[in-house]
Amino acid sequence: MRLHVADHPLVSHKLAVLRNKETASPTFRQLVDELVTLLAYEATREVKTVEHPISTPVTETVGVKIASPQPLVVPILRAGLGMLDGITRLIPTAEVGFLGMQRNEETLEAITYANRLPDDLTGRQVFLLDPMLATGGTLVAAINYMLERGAVDVTAICLIAAPEGIKVVEDAIGERADVKLVLAAIDERLNENAYIVPGLGDAGDRLYGVVD
C-alpha cells in the first residue's frame, strides 16, 4: 500500500474550517467539494492515458486522452456522496458506481447494504471516496470488494484518517494489490468510541443532517 498526504496550505486551511463545529452544512459541503478536487489532483496523477492525434490551429500533433476502460469512481454511501462532484469535475468521463456500507457501532464491523457496481472490474482503475478512515474496517471491505471483481488498482481518497485505521488497511492489503491512500491529514488517534480525534464529527450528519 502507498500513502500520500497532501501537503498544501490551501488543504490545511480548508480542513481547519471543516473541523470547526460552528461551520454550517452548506459551507461544510462546499469545503468538502473543494478539498476533494485538490486531493483528486494528486490521486489521479497515475490515471492511464493513451496517445491520440489532434489538429491544432497551427499543425498536426499528438496528445493524450484517458484510456479505456474509463476509471470508476465509487463513493461509499452516504458520506462519500459529498465527495463525488469534487473528482468527477476533474474526470467527467469516469463512470460512477455506488457502495452502501456502514459500521456496526457495537462490533465496529462493516456491513454492506447496497451495491451498484459492475460485476467485472477487470482492467479498471477504481477511486473509492470516503471522508473518514477510522477503524479501517469499511475501507478494507470496500477495497476487497473491488479487487475480488478484478480491479487493476484502487485509490482511496479520504479527508482524514486515524493511524490505527491506516495500519489496519496496510496490514490487510499488504503487497497483494496496487492500493494507494490519498489523505488531507493524519489525525492523532481513535477515542474509546472509535471516533477520530481531533476529527470533524460525523461527516454524513454534517453534510446532510442527522438521520435517525
Side-chain angles (χ1 to χ4, degrees):
M1 189 190 82
R2 294 180 289 157
L3 177 65
H4 177 83
V5 181
D7 181 17
H8 195 287
L10 283 180
V11 172
S12 299
H13 165 73
K14 293 177 187 296
L15 187 57
V17 181
L18 204 66
R19 292 184 190 276
N20 190 336
K21 67 179 182 180
E22 302 300 329
T23 298
S25 287
T27 304
F28 192 93
R29 287 193 293 269
Q30 180 181 342
L31 286 168
V32 168
D33 180 78
E34 293 172 359
L35 272 168
V36 173
T37 298
L38 293 172
L39 294 177
Y41 181 80
E42 294 297 332
T44 57
R45 186 176 292 276
E46 297 174 357
V47 70
K48 293 182 178 179
T49 60
V50 293
E51 293 185 345
H52 76 120
I54 57 174
S55 300
T56 78
V58 178
T59 187
E60 303 298 315
T61 188
V62 176
V64 298
K65 63 179 180 180
I66 295 178
S68 294
Q70 294 292 324
L72 180 68
V73 177
V74 182
I76 299 176
L77 304 179
R78 72 179 163 132
L81 278 177
M83 304 172 70
L84 182 58
D85 287 347
I87 185 170
T88 54
R89 185 178 296 113
L90 287 186
I91 43 173
T93 58
E95 295 181 359
V96 178
F98 297 94
L99 189 60
M101 307 186 85
Q102 65 184 40
R103 185 176 71 178
N104 183 307
E105 296 302 329
E106 293 183 1
T107 66
L108 302 182
E109 294 181 355
I111 302 169
T112 301
Y113 64 87
N115 167 20
R116 188 66 175 173
L117 294 168
D119 290 330
D120 186 4
L121 297 177
T122 302
R124 302 293 290 269
Q125 288 182 295
V126 179
F127 295 90
L128 285 171
L129 308 178
D130 196 5
M132 318 283 281
L133 171 52
T135 63
T138 298
L139 192 57
V140 167
I143 291 171
N144 283 333
Y145 220 83
M146 306 303 146
L147 298 179
E148 289 165 3
R149 284 155 179 76
V152 162
D153 59 71
V154 178
T155 298
I157 303 175
C158 304
L159 299 182
I160 60 175
E164 297 93 330
I166 294 173
K167 187 175 188 309
V168 166
V169 176
E170 190 171 29
D171 290 346
I173 303 303
E175 300 298 325
R176 64 187 175 92
D178 185 12
V179 172
K180 184 177 181 182
L181 184 58
V182 178
L183 309 170
I186 299 175
D187 277 15
E188 295 174 11
R189 58 183 173 84
L190 293 178
N191 65 15
E192 62 278 4
N193 297 315
Y195 283 96
I196 301 174
V197 178
L200 47 77
D202 186 296
D205 287 349
R206 297 196 66 189
L207 280 163
Y208 304 117
V210 178
V211 178
D212 293 329

